[in-house]
């Protein structure tokens, strides 16, 4: 043993900071993947949200994303990580305990060759982007103080339940095929965002009718962070730098590129123009659709998933949404329901069809054996009943995530509305960023402004609305 130890190259020798169980390659990749997922939100979604809205809402929209990222991290290490991945006798949620002790963070994570700290950070980045994604349904009118309360409540009562149920030790663990969060992240954010949009209420009518993006170039910049960051999003799920990781990353890009081309083609066929915003939407639906199956389907299946990801959500957003009174009643600002809920459940169903048995075995190599397999391969091997059972699990998981998010998000919004208004008042909605934050995205004096912009230290602080009685307004002088 001693001879084997001393014969190792210096960079691979064990010491107190690099125990025998630690694989430096896996550790380095996992930290990189987690950082890439974090970059999808900050600055990715910060840029995307701040640019995709009307100019008067640029600061507020970007700030909602930044605040949520910070708030989720503190909640995650104080109690939410153990709720989602801790031990419990319950079948839907763990125990609320902190995840900051040295003995916990620097211990080996299960059978994987990396420390628990890697997994805590990686899963935090997942939780943060989920909250920010649902916020895309609420841009342009939600009271920022209500958003500050909504983030920790929804993370605690809704997100952790989905994560524990499917990925933790819940009743759907290793029954549902969800490689990297098609249900846990995207279906839940799309459904919760749509539900919250119903309770918050719509934007002003003029904003619903005319809501042009303020900077399309910055939209492409934010979209670029999302697309490239998804290599860490899906590539980090195996928790190792292995064969499944390589396939997951390649499939992610194949599906996404295919979805963009399909969405772009449909725009050109039916609207006679190629739309940059449409291409970005097609990119997002491709990324979302491949997420539950990235490392467990063949590349030809990833391309087929891209075809459906670029066409099915396109139809629900561009055709069905405009014809449906139900969709018109709810003001989903960025169409998160279509890009995440529709694409997420589509990806979950397709993953249940195309998941390859040998790839599933490789993915679950370090955990308990899984009996899951794709419906297509059960047909080929004469195990149709097994395939129908798997599809039943996929549909049951989608139903549970949908029902839980509708119910819990509604309760959270009702609770917050008893403390603070969910929607900004009409005067603030008319003004936008300057009324909410006292700041503007493009503060160029002389561009239609009557006075120079005031310095922050000369401004009179605004009293938050939750400190004032409902229905009161400042008297006009």
């Amino acid at each position: 043993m001693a001879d084997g130890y001393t014969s190792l190259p210096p960079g691979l020798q064990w010491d107190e900071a690099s125990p025998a169980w630690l694989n430096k390659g896996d550790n380095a990749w996992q930290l990189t993947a987690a950082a890439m997922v974090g970059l999808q939100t900050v600055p990715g979604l910060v840029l995307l949200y701040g640019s995709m809205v009307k100019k008067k809402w640029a600061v507020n929209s970007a700030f909602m994303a930044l605040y949520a990222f910070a708030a989720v991290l503190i909640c995650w290490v104080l109690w939410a990580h153990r709720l989602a991945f801790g031990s419990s006798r319950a079948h839907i949620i763990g125990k609320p305990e902190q995840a900051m002790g040295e003995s916990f963070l620097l211990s080996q994570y299960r059978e994987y060759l990396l420390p628990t700290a890697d997994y805590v950070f990686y899963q935090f980045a997942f939780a943060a982007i989920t909250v920010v994604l649902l916020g895309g349904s609420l841009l342009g009118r939600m009271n920022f103080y209500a958003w500050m309360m909504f983030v920790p409540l929804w993370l605690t009562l809704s997100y952790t339940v989905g994560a524990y149920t499917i990925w933790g030790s819940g009743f759907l663990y290793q029954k549902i095929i969800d490689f990297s969060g098609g249900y846990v992240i995207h279906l839940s954010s799309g459904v919760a965002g749509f539900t919250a949009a119903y309770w918050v209420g719509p934007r002003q009518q003029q904003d619903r009718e005319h809501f042009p993006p303020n900077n399309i170039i910055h939209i492409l910049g934010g979209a670029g962070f999302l697309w490239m960051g998804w290599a860490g999003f899906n590539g980090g799920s195996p928790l190792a730098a292995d064969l499944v990781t390589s396939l997951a990353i390649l499939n992610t890009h194949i599906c996404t590129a295919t979805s963009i081309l399909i969405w772009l083609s449909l725009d050109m066929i039916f609207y006679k123009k190629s739309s940059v915003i449409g291409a970005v939407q097609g990119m997002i639906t491709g990324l979302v659709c491949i997420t539950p199956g990235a490392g467990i389907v063949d590349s030809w299946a990833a391309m087929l998933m891209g075809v459906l990801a670029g066409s099915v959500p396109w139809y629900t957003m561009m055709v069905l949404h405009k014809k449906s009174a139900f969709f018109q009643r709810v003001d989903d600002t960025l169409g998160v329901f279509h890009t995440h809920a529709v694409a997420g459940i589509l990806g979950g169903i397709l993953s249940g069809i195309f998941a390859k048995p040998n790839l599933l075995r490789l993915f679950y190599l370090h955990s308990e054996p899984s009996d899951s397999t794709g419906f297509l391969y059960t047909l080929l091997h004469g195990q149709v009943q097994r395939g129908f059972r798997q599809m039943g699990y996929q549909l049951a998981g989608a139903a549970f995530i949908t029902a839980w998010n509708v119910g819990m998000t509604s309760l959270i919004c009702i609770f917050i509305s008893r403390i603070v208004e969910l929607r900004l008042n009409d005067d603030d909605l008319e003004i936008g960023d300057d009324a909410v934050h006292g700041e503007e995205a493009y503060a160029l004096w002389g561009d239609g402004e009557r006075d120079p912009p005031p310095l922050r230290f000369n401004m009179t602080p605004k009293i938050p609305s939750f400190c004032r009685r409902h229905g009161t307004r400042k008297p006009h002088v």
Side-chain angles (χ1 to χ4, degrees):
M1 183 68 180
D3 293 339
Y5 172 79
T6 56
S7 66
L8 289 172
L12 297 179
Q13 290 182 11
W14 311 331
D15 55 36
E16 188 176 357
S18 299
W21 53 260
L22 179 65
N23 183 305
K24 292 184 178 181
D26 289 352
N27 187 37
W29 165 244
Q30 200 60 38
L31 290 171
T32 301
M36 292 174 75
V37 180
L39 287 169
Q40 289 183 289
T41 303
V42 180
L45 288 175
V46 171
L47 274 173
L48 189 69
Y49 285 6
S51 306
M52 212 162 185
V53 296
K54 210 170 185 177
K55 184 175 73 171
K56 69 176 183 178
W57 291 113
V59 171
N60 178 258
S61 300
F63 193 27
M64 284 176 67
L66 181 65
Y67 161 77
F69 192 79
V72 168
L73 176 56
I74 301 304
C75 297
W76 193 251
V77 297
L78 286 178
W79 68 80
H81 178 78
R82 294 289 190 95
L83 280 176
F85 297 99
S87 59
S88 175
R89 293 180 180 178
H91 294 292
I92 63 170
I93 198 166
K95 296 178 182 178
E97 299 175 307
Q98 57 84 18
M100 294 187 291
E102 177 185 337
S103 60
F104 173 72
L105 293 175
L106 299 186
S107 63
Q108 182 178 4
Y109 179 69
R110 295 185 178 178
E111 301 300 321
Y112 298 94
L113 305 180
L114 41 79
T116 303
D118 290 15
Y119 193 68
V120 172
F121 183 59
Y122 180 67
Q123 287 296 340
F124 144 69
F126 270 8
I129 198 172
T130 307
V131 178
V132 175
L133 288 173
L134 80 84
S137 298
L138 310 172
L139 302 181
R141 82 281 199 176
M142 188 173 190
N143 185 346
F144 191 78
Y145 299 104
W147 175 246
M148 292 177 71
M149 298 175 65
F150 180 89
V151 169
L153 287 172
W154 189 85
L155 172 74
T156 303
L157 300 174
S158 192
Y159 178 81
T160 57
V161 171
Y164 184 87
T165 302
I166 295 177
W167 286 342
S169 303
F171 69 96
L172 292 174
Y173 177 58
Q174 289 202 343
K175 291 183 173 64
I176 290 177
I177 297 173
D178 190 0
F179 182 82
S180 198
Y183 285 176
V184 176
I185 295 173
H186 299 295
L187 178 58
S188 64
S189 63
V191 171
F194 192 80
T195 304
Y198 168 81
W199 289 104
V200 172
R203 290 166 288 171
Q204 287 186 316
Q205 187 60 34
Q206 64 210 43
D207 281 349
R208 292 195 71 178
E209 295 173 355
H210 184 66
F211 205 69
N214 67 82
N215 196 317
I216 289 181
I217 302 303
H218 285 178
I219 289 175
L220 291 174
F225 274 105
L226 269 184
W227 188 350
M228 293 298 102
W230 226 283
F233 194 106
N234 288 342
S237 284
L239 302 181
D242 60 13
L243 298 177
V244 176
T245 299
S246 300
L247 183 63
I249 293 174
L250 179 61
N251 283 347
T252 296
H253 295 300
I254 289 175
C255 181
T256 303
T258 304
S259 181
I260 291 174
L261 297 179
I262 294 298
W263 194 295
L264 183 61
S265 299
L266 290 172
D267 275 350
M268 294 176 68
I269 291 171
F270 290 95
Y271 296 103
K272 310 304 179 186
K273 288 185 179 179
S274 55
S275 166
V276 173
I277 303 298
V280 171
Q281 301 283 28
M283 179 203 79
I284 293 172
T285 57
L287 291 167
V288 171
C289 186
I290 192 60
T291 293
I296 52 178
V297 301
D298 278 327
S299 293
W300 64 263
M303 186 172 291
L304 181 56
M305 291 172 74
V307 172
L308 294 172
S311 53
V312 175
W314 182 91
Y315 175 78
T316 65
M317 178 181 283
M318 307 304 293
V319 179
L320 188 61
H321 184 97
K322 297 176 182 179
K323 294 181 177 181
S324 169
F326 171 72
F327 283 124
Q328 288 294 315
R329 193 179 304 119
V330 180
D331 183 14
D332 181 358
T333 307
L334 298 185
V336 176
F337 180 83
H338 303 284
T339 56
H340 292 275
V342 173
I345 195 170
L346 176 66
I349 292 172
L350 293 174
S351 297
I353 295 173
F354 296 124
K356 201 170 183 179
N358 67 309
L359 294 176
L360 284 165
R361 283 194 296 272
L362 290 176
F363 179 53
Y364 290 112
L365 188 64
H366 296 290
S367 58
E368 299 175 13
S370 173
D371 191 45
S372 301
T373 190
F375 182 75
L376 174 64
Y377 295 94
T378 64
L379 290 178
L380 296 176
H381 295 97
Q383 300 174 325
V384 179
Q385 186 176 0
R386 186 180 174 192
F388 279 117
R389 183 173 68 245
Q390 184 60 53
M391 294 308 297
Y393 284 141
Q394 298 299 109
L395 295 174
F400 173 77
I401 292 294
T402 299
W404 186 270
N405 277 278
V406 169
M408 190 53 65
T409 304
S410 296
L411 290 175
I412 291 170
C413 288
I414 293 170
F415 172 75
I416 294 174
S417 69
R418 298 296 185 265
I419 303 171
V420 57
E421 296 285 358
L422 292 171
R423 184 176 181 268
L424 291 166
N425 63 58
D426 289 337
D427 292 339
D428 288 347
L429 288 174
E430 188 68 34
I431 299 170
D433 288 337
D434 195 34
V436 179
H437 303 291
E439 298 166 327
E440 295 182 7
Y442 305 100
L444 302 176
W445 181 53
D447 185 18
E449 295 184 351
R450 290 175 297 179
D451 300 302
L455 297 176
R456 293 289 297 175
F457 55 78
N458 288 331
M459 293 177 60
T460 303
K462 290 184 65 175
I463 299 175
S465 58
F466 60 77
C467 296
R468 299 196 295 263
R469 291 172 54 192
H470 292 281
T472 59
R473 296 287 185 272
K474 291 182 179 181
H476 294 283
V477 179

